[in-house]
């Protein structure tokens, strides 16, 4: 009897071990993420952190389906409570490969991790030819920082739609840096004028070399300088702490995942 | 009437003598005879003494009330008449003139009373640069100034070039300086999600002795202080004991601001330099601010010197422009006029060229 019980435990242990070692990281993640909420097969908006309201999820789902059909892509939005301290980019790529791949024109995912307040937009190698993950990330960051998660998702979907439409019309990926930036232009005009004024002051300054002499350093006899007292006394220390600026993320086109791209950071 | 001035004429031919820049002798430009400075000094000493006595006698007669209504009493006090010992013409100069040139016969003329006793300079730095050097240096000075009006150089004619010995006081001082500085060491590091800036504050005390040698301060009200400070420095290795022989052929003024009144200018420069020396010893800090400083003069010595200056005057659009050249080193100082059109055009080009660069740079941040 005792032998049978031991045998059962050993078999159970062996099965457990085999599952543990054989399961890739994605399954570990999915087990955690799906532990409190079931993912439906065709879900395009998944939220186990209960950040989004049900009607918001429905609205976003409808919007995503429309864009997906229009452009032949897969678009995902994931709000997770935690990823257990793992790298947000790795988690996003795993979810992208698992749930949002296989479409003709590729897939893209927007992952938000609520406990570490991190976000990441990951693209596969196909859609990466049509969209700029950095631009998409920049488009949603303001909403994300304001805590407007529904707004961030809307901005994300709009940006994906806009980028893909742009590519279809122009045959090249939309790049915000190609657009005329009125703020940058105004700053450039202002800086240019200031630069011009500085150049003018400098040029006029060169027209005269008549100045009062402020010092007598030319007449100092260096060999006569003798220090009689040279004391540094520590007084006090001021310590100032400020939070690190939340990153807007950096894009890496053609990055780590077989030509895919991404942008992310914290908010 | 006894002469109140002495003309330095060649004992050989009677032509005017002049000290040639860069030489150690006084030369007659006409017969070419060269005289040692000491020989000239000895030769004209008696004449100088007599002229000084004559002027002293004449001074008592120079009453401002006799000057008539045309001069104010201040003007009359400032003007002095003397007779040229060469041609007898009456010359009028201001009260500070030590050496001049007769406007009628061109003879170099000394007014010995002006360098009598305490008025006698201790040293002189002889002229090394000639008139031609001064004109050439001024032309070079015009170069490289982008805003200079085109017709300033094209139509430029030097209106007047005057070599002048300017009275300077040279201040020596031994000082004891002390200063207190507030210095900071700043360290920045990351701690979790925070950026920590740690600033350690120190009180740094410094006391030092140091000496300054021959800080020049001009003793002439006529000369602009900024110009005189701008033509520095001088090479004091070429200082020679004063002799009137060096003044032949040049204008020279005696001081009209005494050493006591010039001293604060030298003291201020000494104080600034002393603080700089003390500050330079406060090392390994991110910032150093002066809290207070005190400079005490232990020993102070002053010598009275004449230094050589070329004064060049030009005129542009009816406005005179004065340039000065250090007669020893050739350093030219002055303020040039600028073309308003160029002063708009060049900066505008710079602004327009820089705008695209600023635009692309701004796009990276906006």
């Amino acid at each position: 009897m005792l032998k049978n019980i031991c045998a059962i435990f050993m078999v159970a242990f062996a099965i457990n071990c085999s599952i543990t070692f054989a399961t890739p990281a994605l399954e570990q993640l999915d087990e955690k993420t799906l532990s409190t909420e079931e993912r439906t097969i065709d879900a395009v908006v998944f939220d186990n952190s209960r950040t989004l309201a049900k009607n918001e999820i429905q609205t976003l789902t409808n919007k995503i389906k429309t864009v997906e059909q229009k452009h032949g892509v897969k678009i995902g939005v994931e709000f997770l409570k935690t990823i257990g301290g793992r790298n947000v980019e790795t988690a996003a790529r795993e979810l992208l490969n698992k749930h949002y791949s296989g479409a003709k024109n590729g897939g893209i995912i927007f992952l938000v991790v609520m406990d570490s307040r991190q976000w990441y937009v990951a693209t596969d190698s196909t859609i990466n030819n049509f969209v700029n993950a950095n631009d998409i990330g920049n488009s949603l960051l303001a909403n994300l920082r304001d805590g407007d998660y529904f707004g961030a998702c809307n901005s994300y979907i709009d940006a994906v739609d806009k980028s893909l439409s742009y590519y279809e019309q122009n045959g090249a990926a939309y790049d915000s840096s190609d657009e005329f930036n009125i703020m940058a232009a105004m700053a450039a005009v202002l800086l240019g004028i200031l630069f011009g004024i500085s150049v003018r002051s400098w040029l006029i300054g060169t027209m005269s070399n008549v100045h009062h002499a402020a010092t007598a350093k030319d007449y100092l006899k260096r060999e006569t300088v003798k220090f009689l007292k040279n004391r540094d006394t520590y007084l006090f220390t001021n310590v100032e702490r400020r939070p690190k600026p939340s990153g807007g993320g950096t894009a890496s086109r053609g990055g780590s995942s077989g030509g895919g791209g991404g942008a992310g950071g914290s908010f | 009437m006894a002469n109140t001035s002495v003309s330095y004429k060649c004992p050989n031919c009677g032509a005017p003598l002049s000290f040639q820049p860069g030489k150690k002798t006084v030369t007659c430009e006409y017969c070419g005879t060269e005289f040692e400075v000491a020989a000239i000094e000895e030769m004209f000493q008696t004449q100088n003494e007599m002229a000084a006595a004559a002027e002293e006698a004449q001074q008592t007669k120079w009453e401002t009330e006799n000057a008539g209504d045309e001069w104010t009493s201040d003007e009359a006090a400032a003007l002095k008449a003397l007779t040229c010992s060469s041609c007898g013409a009456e010359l009028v100069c201001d009260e500070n003139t030590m050496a001049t040139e007769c406007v009628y016969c061109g003879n170099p003329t000394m007014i010995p009373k002006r360098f009598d006793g305490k008025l006698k300079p201790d040293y002189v730095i002889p002229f090394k640069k000639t008139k031609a050097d001064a004109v050439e240096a001024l032309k070079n000075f015009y170069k490289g100034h982008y805003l200079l009006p085109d017709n300033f150089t094209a139509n430029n004619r030097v209106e007047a070039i005057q070599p002048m010995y300017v009275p300077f006081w040279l201040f020596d001082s031994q000082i004891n300086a002390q200063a207190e500085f507030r210095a900071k060491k700043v360290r920045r590091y990351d701690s979790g999600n925070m950026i920590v800036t740690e600033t350690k504050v120190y009180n740094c005390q410094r006391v030092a002795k140091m000496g300054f040698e021959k800080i020049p301060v001009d003793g002439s009200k006529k000369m602009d202080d900024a110009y005189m400070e701008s033509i520095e420095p001088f090479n004091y290795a070429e200082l020679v004991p004063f002799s009137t022989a060096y003044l032949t052929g040049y204008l020279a003024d005696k001081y009209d601001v005494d050493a006591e009144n010039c001293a604060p200018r030298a003291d201020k420069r000494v104080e600034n330099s002393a603080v700089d020396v003390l500050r330079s010893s406060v090392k390994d800090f991110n910032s150093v601010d002066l809290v207070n400083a005190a400079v005490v003069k232990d020993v102070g010595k002053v010598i009275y010197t004449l230094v050589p200056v070329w004064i060049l005057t030009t005129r542009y659009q009816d406005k005179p422009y004065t340039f000065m050249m250090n007669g020893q080193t050739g350093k030219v100082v002055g303020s040039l006029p600028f073309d308003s059109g160029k002063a708009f055009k060049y900066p505008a080009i710079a602004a327009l060229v820089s705008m695209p660069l600023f635009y692309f740079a701004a796009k990276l941040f906006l």
Side-chain angles (χ1 to χ4, degrees), chain A:
Chain A
M1 181 64 181
L2 189 60
K3 279 184 179 176
N4 287 340
I5 293 170
C6 287
I8 290 166
F9 270 111
M10 287 179 71
V11 169
F13 179 74
I15 291 168
N16 187 35
C17 285
S18 66
I19 290 170
T20 304
F21 289 114
T23 306
L26 180 63
E27 271 71 42
Q28 289 180 21
L29 179 66
D30 271 0
E31 277 182 17
K32 285 176 187 168
T33 58
L34 293 174
S35 59
T36 54
E37 195 144 341
E38 283 299 323
R39 177 196 290 277
T40 58
I41 293 194
D42 60 346
V44 290
V45 180
F46 178 73
D47 176 16
N48 76 358
S49 63
R50 302 197 183 282
T51 304
L52 300 170
K54 277 188 177 172
N55 62 328
E56 290 176 337
I57 292 174
Q58 191 56 51
T59 305
L60 292 171
T61 301
N62 294 339
K63 194 169 179 176
I64 287 173
K65 292 284 182 193
T66 306
V67 177
E68 282 183 341
Q69 281 174 9
K70 186 176 162 190
H71 301 293
V73 295
K74 276 204 168 185
I75 301 170
V77 172
E78 302 254 348
F79 280 77
L80 303 185
K81 269 194 290 195
T82 180
I83 54 172
R86 299 176 66 230
N87 180 279
V88 67
E89 180 185 351
T90 308
R93 294 207 178 283
E94 285 172 359
L95 290 167
L96 175 68
N97 294 335
K98 173 88 177 170
H99 300 296
Y100 306 101
S101 61
K104 185 180 73 172
N105 290 326
I108 183 169
I109 185 176
F110 169 35
L111 170 64
V112 182
V113 184
M114 297 307 290
D115 68 342
S116 60
R117 297 184 67 79
Q118 288 177 298
W119 64 276
Y120 202 84
V121 172
T123 59
D124 69 14
S125 58
T126 309
I127 203 170
N128 195 44
N129 295 318
F130 315 137
V131 300
N132 182 327
N134 202 29
D135 282 350
I136 293 169
N138 287 337
S139 72
L140 58 85
L141 196 57
N143 292 118
L144 210 52
R145 280 179 178 159
D146 292 345
D148 178 8
Y149 301 105
F150 178 65
C153 294
N154 265 317
S155 299
Y156 158 70
I157 298 162
D158 291 342
V160 172
D161 185 24
K162 183 181 165 189
S163 296
L164 290 168
S165 300
Y166 182 90
Y167 183 86
E168 284 158 11
Q169 283 172 12
N170 300 288
Y174 171 77
D175 189 342
S176 64
S177 62
D178 294 339
E179 259 188 11
F180 181 74
N181 185 330
I182 186 71
M183 289 297 289
M186 287 166 66
V189 169
L190 189 68
L191 290 171
I193 290 170
L194 289 175
F195 180 64
I197 291 170
S198 306
V199 168
R200 187 175 190 274
S201 302
W202 172 73
L203 284 172
I204 291 174
T206 62
M207 301 305 284
S208 175
N209 63 348
V210 180
H211 306 288
H212 277 287
T215 68
K217 63 178 189 302
D218 292 333
Y219 309 99
L220 172 68
K221 290 189 284 181
R222 296 275 165 193
E223 70 278 6
T224 63
V225 178
K226 285 199 177 87
F227 277 88
L228 307 174
K229 189 176 184 182
N230 199 330
R231 192 164 65 204
D232 298 344
T233 311
Y234 167 74
L235 296 178
F236 58 88
T237 301
N238 276 329
V239 179
E240 184 188 306
R241 290 186 172 82
R242 59 187 172 85
K244 285 180 187 172
S246 50
T250 52
S252 57
R253 300 201 65 170
S256 57
S257 182
S266 53
F267 61 96

